[in-house]
Amino acid sequence: MTIKSITSLGVDVSKSSITCHILSQYPVGGLKTYWQKNRTKASSLFPSFYSSPKPETNQKSVFDFADYVTDNKVDVAILEPTGNHYSRLWARILENLGTKILWVGHIELRRYRGGKNLPNKSDEADALAMAAYAQDQDKYLESGELNERQFLMHRPEVIDYLRELVQKLEHLNRVQSPIINYTRQMLAWQFPEKAHSKTKTTIAGKVPPLWGWLAQRELEVHPQSYKSIARLYQKSISLRLGLEIDPIVRSHASWLCDIHIEEQRLESQLKALVNDELFLIYNQIFDQFNFGLRIRARLLSRIYPFEAFLTNGKQLIEREVREVKKKQVTREKGKSVVKFLPGDIKRVKRNRSRDAFKLRLGMGTVLEQSGDSLVEKGSGSALCRMTFWQYVITKIEVDGRLPDNPIGNEIADYKEMLKNNVDGSGKQLLNGKHLQNKLMSKVANLLFRELSRAIATPSVGIVVKLSTE
């Protein structure tokens, strides 16, 4: 597929509709000029299609979309991964029509649209940007073929299913919280002796004892636990005062039982997927960190295949020569040491493969324009970032919970080094979130290092660039 023959379709996905635009070549005069001339022709050049069109309107349906793609002989469709659910229907239609699908990342598309001076918050402009993204000569190889490395690598089907299971479990985890909170509030006067007690089970097919007893699902609770709660309730002060269990509490408890059974079903599927031979090397690395099942699934859904972060099987490392603009001072042995003065030249090594890896896991940063200044903001998967934070507070900050191996020892030594970093008065320089962020970044760096050692080609690629700081 070359730049002379491609017909590209840009598809901007919304909650229940899409906006499209088709290009057979990159617009002469640039995208801004093209947009200004054609933005008023939305109905013809930027048609919208609806998954559930209103009968009283002339909204186009998914069948009209299929005809639109077929009539225009589209070679490749460009989509933004706007959630698995919103884009799945439209992607399946394109697949059934035999149209090649390429995905462009959120950050890449935002930068591309901004660089072409297209407006923000416009579905039509997004569709145009995506269609042009596949026509831009910068996205092609010297041979004239479309460089698919400019797009997101296609995930294997098993990874899509893995991500879907993770999302389902996270959804169930979220919906439990308000149900549990309300139930415990009610139990504070209906069964205060168990209102704030922990309840869980590790037996397959069984439900947490307290919820099972409240829901009167005796067969799904361990017999001894069920009888123990029943005996305690007979002695409860609430029962003696005539305060009985409200039916709404029993219905809430039954919901929690259903959720727990569904979690068990999903986790059994998740365990089978994560332990697949396909992920053998990854699990060997995860074992060194003592990651749990859900953490492994979250990470795999984001980083597999690891080769996507490499260039020809190697880490892409750039060495930049920069001019220093501000004096840089560091602390060494309680003294301030000037490393660089304004105007000095320094060499900085940038591991682009590692940066992309950390960005995918929510541990990277991007620069965004805010007024007259550039602001550094955290970017990537918020769920993975939360995973690293949970690992830090449950495994690293609590002494004795790190695995007894070289990885665990290296993390423990790094934590002690950070805590021993003090100023001249002996005050610890890093505390709270700053310390946790450093530890989270350390875990991500170690994970990348171990995966590189196991998967990447031993040699590294080095590119020298010139820039100013």
Side-chain angles (χ1 to χ4, degrees), residues 71-272:
D71 294 342
N72 287 279
K73 299 179 180 180
V74 174
D75 296 308
V76 59
I78 314 300
L79 283 83
E80 189 179 10
T82 313
N84 287 340
H85 303 293
Y86 294 150
S87 60
R88 177 172 295 187
L89 172 65
W90 307 102
R92 180 58 62 90
I93 294 173
L94 290 166
E95 289 172 356
N96 289 345
L97 293 174
T99 304
K100 184 178 182 62
I101 299 176
L102 293 175
W103 302 86
V104 59
H106 303 293
I107 297 175
E108 289 81 359
L109 181 63
R110 184 169 65 246
R111 289 175 177 171
Y112 183 79
R113 184 185 60 224
K116 301 298 182 179
N117 295 315
L118 294 176
N120 193 13
K121 304 297 183 181
S122 169
D123 295 342
E124 291 80 6
D126 284 345
L128 171 60
M130 281 186 273
Y133 197 86
Q135 298 285 353
D136 199 314
Q137 294 193 30
D138 291 340
K139 313 304 177 188
Y140 284 77
L141 301 171
E142 292 181 358
S143 62
E145 296 180 348
L146 188 63
N147 183 7
E148 295 191 11
R149 291 194 65 87
Q150 296 285 344
F151 301 85
L152 297 178
M153 180 175 287
H154 175 68
R155 296 190 302 265
E157 186 175 346
V158 64
I159 292 297
D160 284 333
Y161 187 42
L162 191 69
R163 178 174 290 191
E164 185 175 336
L165 288 176
V166 170
Q167 290 175 341
K168 287 179 179 178
L169 284 167
E170 291 300 325
H171 165 70
L172 293 178
N173 186 56
R174 286 193 299 269
V175 300
Q176 284 184 77
S177 296
I179 300 175
I180 291 175
N181 291 340
Y182 182 77
T183 303
R184 292 194 183 280
Q185 290 173 18
M186 298 288 281
L187 289 178
W189 58 273
Q190 296 177 21
F191 193 0
E193 292 83 358
K194 296 292 290 184
H196 302 291
S197 64
K198 294 182 179 179
T199 180
K200 61 180 180 180
T201 181
T202 57
I203 304 174
K206 299 294 184 181
V207 299
L210 179 59
W211 310 138
W213 182 84
L214 287 169
Q216 298 176 318
R217 296 165 65 159
E218 184 174 357
L219 296 179
E220 297 175 79
V221 181
H222 190 277
Q224 186 176 352
S225 299
Y226 195 92
K227 292 177 183 178
S228 175
I229 296 175
R231 286 195 300 268
L232 182 61
Y233 181 66
Q234 292 302 318
K235 301 176 183 179
S236 174
I237 183 63
S238 295
L239 185 61
R240 295 185 181 184
L241 294 173
L243 301 172
E244 298 181 352
I245 303 295
D246 194 294
I248 195 172
V249 172
R250 297 196 184 279
S251 64
H252 277 53
S254 186
W255 296 344
L256 292 171
C257 291
D258 291 338
I259 290 174
H260 186 78
I261 293 296
E262 181 64 11
E263 282 184 321
Q264 288 185 347
R265 185 185 71 84
L266 293 174
E267 283 191 334
S268 66
Q269 296 179 9
L270 194 65
K271 186 175 182 180

Side-chain angles (χ1 to χ4, degrees), residues 326-331 335-341:
K326 295 182 179 180
K327 182 173 69 173
Q328 296 184 5
V329 182
T330 60
R331 297 284 296 181
K335 298 181 179 179
S336 296
V337 179
V338 178
K339 287 290 186 181
F340 296 99
L341 293 171

